[in-house]
Structures are given as C-alpha cells and as structure tokens.
C-alpha cells in the first residue's frame, strides 16, 4: 500500500511542479510565512508526517500546541516529522503542496483560514496521503480528511457570551478584540458575541482584529480611551490580546476585574491568565485545549493497523472559568 502511495505521490508531484512553475510559484513551500520548516531525524520505516501549523509565537496557546506536537512526533516515537508555519492560508497551502511532493504518509493541518482547502486536499488524497485536521475546522467535505481533532469554537463563544449575559450589567458597552479573521477560533468566538449583542441590544463600541497580538490589542484599546468613548467590557478572543488591553487600561488608570470598572474576558487559559483571574484582575477565561498530539497519534496508529475510526470528528471537552469561583487547583490543572 505504501509503495502504491509513493507512486501516486510521484505522479501528483510532477503535475503540481509544472503547475507551480506555470503560476510563478515557489517549490520551497516548507519555509512559509512567519515561521520555518524543520524536520526530526528519521527515515527507514518511520511514519513520515508533514505538520502545518500557525506561527508558534502567535500566542501562549500556540507555543504549547507546537511543543506538544514536537514531543509526540519525534524519531523516538517512530515518526519522521517536518513542520511548516504561517498565519496565511496561501502560504500554508504552498507548504501542503510541498509536503505532497515530498511524499509524506500523513498531512496534519491546523488551517489559518477555514476556506480554500478543497483542491490541495484532493491532491493529497489522490497521492494516497491521509489528512488529519487538528485545532481548527475547515469548510471542506469530510471525505477529504480522515479525522478532525478540534475544540468546539462555537461552544467556546456561546459559553463566554452566556457568562457575560449572566453578569446582568446595568449596560453593555463592549470593546471586541478579534483574532485572525477567518480562522475557526475567530469565527466561533465572534459569532456568539455578535448574536448575543443583537439579541440583547448590547453596544459594540469597537470590533477590530488584533490578530492574537497583545501590542495591537493595546493600541486598539488605547485609541478607544483617547476617543473618550465609554466602555465597560473587554471581550478579547485570546489571552494575549486581553493582556494588551489591560496594559492600556492600567496606563489610563482604569480599574478592571471583579467589582471594578471594566470586565475583562480572554480565551486559552494560559497559566498566567488564570492567575489574573485568581487575583480577580480579570473576570473570565475560556478554555481552549492545545494538547491534541496524543489524539492524532492514536488516530494514526489505528489507521496504520487498518482499523476503522469510530468517529471522524473528535471534540475535546472544555470549560469557562469565573474569577469568583476559580481555585488554585484549577490554575494548576488547566493552566498552559
């Protein structure tokens, strides 16, 4: 079967190489975007995987996610792994094309954007390469991938928006800091707040992407402060952006946290962020589990043994934390 896959991969690679030349593309897709590609030592009978992820410097969540993948997909664990990083969909797709040319056995994908993946995943399928999604979903037929190991981003957003509604604030004037537009995390967390705001007449003072970045978030919040517009909620779609927002609040001597002027909400459950909740400087943090590698490894082992997967979509359990009820044990157990 693997020999047949290699023959298919060679044929597809030749076709794609001609296509790339015709489009003025590059064949060095492994070095993509804001990161670079790297490979563990391997060869022989090791399982060859190409892993496409977002920039590991994007956030504490992504750093933990990348570390988890590298620890699992090592030569010691029977893998020959190469990594490519980008926050841009087109660069990730180029990396996927390169991995197909290289004849990987498995393509592991955390997509920067939910759309645009049909063609390259069909190419992988034609080459006999199995695709496994992790961390993020895509808008493509589930026939194009073997499994999807993800968080329920819609549920994450709904849990946070419902928590905010339950605070029964006298008014809701919200600064909404969005992640990278088009990502599954952004869509789920934004969609829930948009729906809740419309249903309840909340005011969105500003809604801008800070692309998961603390410095950009600080700039956005500072611009609102400078404008004189009033607000009482920061809804940041990850912890780093919440941190940047709080820096702007501190600079302007605006109080935040439990019983203070501004409610601060984040996502991802970095340990330092949960400590902010424990100290009641923030109000809420939504969990997003970065540790998907063991799930992927289990799927690969089943596929290698010729087993049929009982479920295609594997959703990890997650929760939201409230500053008034969080404990040190929660911080220790759930902080990343």
């Amino acid at each position: 079967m693997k020999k047949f896959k290699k023959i298919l991969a060679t044929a597809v690679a030749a076709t794609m190489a001609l296509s790339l030349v015709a489009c003025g593309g590059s064949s060095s897709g492994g070095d993509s975007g804001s990161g670079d590609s790297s490979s563990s030592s391997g060869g022989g009978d090791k399982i060859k995987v190409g892993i496409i992820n977002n920039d590991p410097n994007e956030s504490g969540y992504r750093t933990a996610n990348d570390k988890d993948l590298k620890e699992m997909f090592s030569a010691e664990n029977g893998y020959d792994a190469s990594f490519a990083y980008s926050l841009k969909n087109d660069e990730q797709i180029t990396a996927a094309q390169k991995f197909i040319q290289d004849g990987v056995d498995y393509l592991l994908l955390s997509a920067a954007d939910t759309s645009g993946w049909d063609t390259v995943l069909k190419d992988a399928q034609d080459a006999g390469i199995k695709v496994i999604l992790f961390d993020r979903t895509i808008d493509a037929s589930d026939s194009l991938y073997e499994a999807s190991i993800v968080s329920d981003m819609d549920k994450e957003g709904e849990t946070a928006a419902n928590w905010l509604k339950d605070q029964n604030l006298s008014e809701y004037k919200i600064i909404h800091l969005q992640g990278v537009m088009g990502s599954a995390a952004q869509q789920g967390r934004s969609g829930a707040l948009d729906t809740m705001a419309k249903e309840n007449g909340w005011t969105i003072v500003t809604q801008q992407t800070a692309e998961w970045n603390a410095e950009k978030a600080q700039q956005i919040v500072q611009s609102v402060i400078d404008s004189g517009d009033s607000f009482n909620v920061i809804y940041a779609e990850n912890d780093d952006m919440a941190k940047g927002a709080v820096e702007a609040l501190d600079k302007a001597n605006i109080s935040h946290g439990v019983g203070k002027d501004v409610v601060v909400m984040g996502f991802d459950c970095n340990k330092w962020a949960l400590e902010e909740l424990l100290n009641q400087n923030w109000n809420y943090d939504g969990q997003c589990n970065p540790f998907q590698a063991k799930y992927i490894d289990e799927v690969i082992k089943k596929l290698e043994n010729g087993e049929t997967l009982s479920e295609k979509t594997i959703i990890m359990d997650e929760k939201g934390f409230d500053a008034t009820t969080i404990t040190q044990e929660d911080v220790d157990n759930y902080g990343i």
Side-chain angles (χ1 to χ4, degrees):
M1 180 61 70
K2 283 191 175 183
K3 181 178 180 181
F4 179 64
K5 181 189 76 64
K6 296 297 183 183
I7 294 172
L8 282 172
T10 302
V12 171
T15 302
M16 289 174 55
L18 290 173
S19 175
L20 285 171
V21 171
C23 296
S26 169
S27 62
S28 58
D31 292 325
S32 61
S34 54
D36 55 23
S37 66
S38 58
S39 177
S40 64
S41 60
D45 294 330
K46 289 183 171 60
I47 299 171
K48 189 172 182 180
V49 296
I51 303 174
I52 299 173
N53 205 347
N54 293 258
D55 182 1
N57 298 312
E58 164 201 88
S59 62
Y61 168 90
R62 190 62 57 186
T63 301
N65 179 248
D66 181 57
K67 182 174 183 288
D68 182 50
L69 291 166
K70 285 182 174 174
E71 288 176 350
M72 174 59 72
F73 296 103
S74 64
E76 291 76 15
N77 288 333
Y79 290 100
D80 176 11
S82 297
F83 294 78
Y85 306 100
S86 181
L87 290 171
K88 297 180 179 179
N89 222 43
D90 58 343
E91 292 178 345
Q92 286 193 337
I93 288 171
T94 298
Q97 292 169 334
K98 177 62 165 57
F99 286 144
I100 293 170
Q101 292 177 43
D102 290 344
V104 297
D105 300 309
Y106 292 87
L107 183 64
L108 313 184
L109 171 64
S110 176
D113 196 298
T114 57
S115 62
W117 284 99
D118 296 74
T119 300
V120 71
L121 295 191
K122 183 64 167 59
D123 289 340
Q125 189 176 74
D126 290 344
I129 296 168
K130 299 183 186 302
V131 176
I132 299 173
L133 308 182
F134 67 93
D135 177 51
R136 294 179 174 180
T137 58
I138 59 172
D139 296 328
S141 169
D142 63 8
S143 65
L144 295 176
Y145 55 87
E146 301 298 321
S148 177
I149 295 109
V150 293
S151 299
D152 188 337
M153 301 298 184
D154 291 341
K155 185 177 179 181
E156 286 181 9
E158 289 165 5
T159 301
N162 285 323
W163 176 90
L164 182 56
K165 181 182 179 181
D166 290 343
Q167 302 314 296
N168 295 315
L169 304 179
S170 59
E171 61 179 356
Y172 286 81
K173 295 184 176 180
I174 304 166
I175 292 178
H176 181 188
L177 301 170
Q178 297 172 292
V180 172
M181 301 303 291
S183 66
Q186 177 273 314
Q187 290 181 348
R189 296 167 191 175
S190 289
L193 181 63
D194 286 343
T195 298
M196 189 68 76
K198 289 176 183 176
E199 290 177 352
N200 294 278
W202 297 351
T203 299
I204 304 296
V205 177
T206 190
Q207 184 181 62
Q208 298 183 53
T209 178
E211 299 179 331
W212 313 123
N213 183 270
E215 184 177 348
K216 291 180 181 179
Q218 182 179 357
Q219 292 169 355
I220 292 169
V221 175
Q222 187 62 55
S223 69
V224 175
I225 294 171
D226 293 342
S227 74
D229 290 337
S230 64
F231 60 91
N232 64 337
V233 177
I234 301 286
Y235 183 98
E237 292 182 358
N238 81 339
D239 290 339
D240 289 274
M241 293 189 296
K243 181 179 181 181
V246 166
E247 289 176 358
L249 298 180
D250 287 342
K251 185 178 179 181
N253 294 315
I254 298 173
S255 67
H256 51 84
V258 178
K260 301 299 176 60
D261 293 332
V262 178
V263 171
V264 177
M265 303 174 66
F267 289 86
D268 289 352
C269 289
N270 286 280
K271 187 171 184 179
W272 56 264
L274 294 184
E275 288 171 347
E276 291 293 333
L277 264 72
L278 192 64
N279 294 326
Q280 300 198 337
N281 295 321
W282 293 16
N283 302 77
Y284 176 91
D285 206 31
Q287 186 186 15
C288 191
N289 188 350
F291 304 117
Q292 294 116 25
K294 66 178 181 180
Y295 296 91
I296 302 171
D297 178 61
E298 289 172 2
V299 167
I300 290 176
K301 283 182 168 56
K302 287 181 180 179
L303 293 173
E304 288 294 296
N305 290 331
E307 298 178 35
T308 301
L309 301 179
S310 59
E311 54 185 349
K312 178 154 285 195
T313 301
I314 301 168
I315 297 176
M316 296 174 289
D317 291 331
E318 295 170 332
K319 61 178 70 178
F321 293 95
D322 184 314
T324 64
T325 58
I326 194 172
T327 66
Q328 183 63 55
E329 185 178 5
D330 291 329
V331 176
D332 295 338
N333 289 340
Y334 297 101
I336 61 175

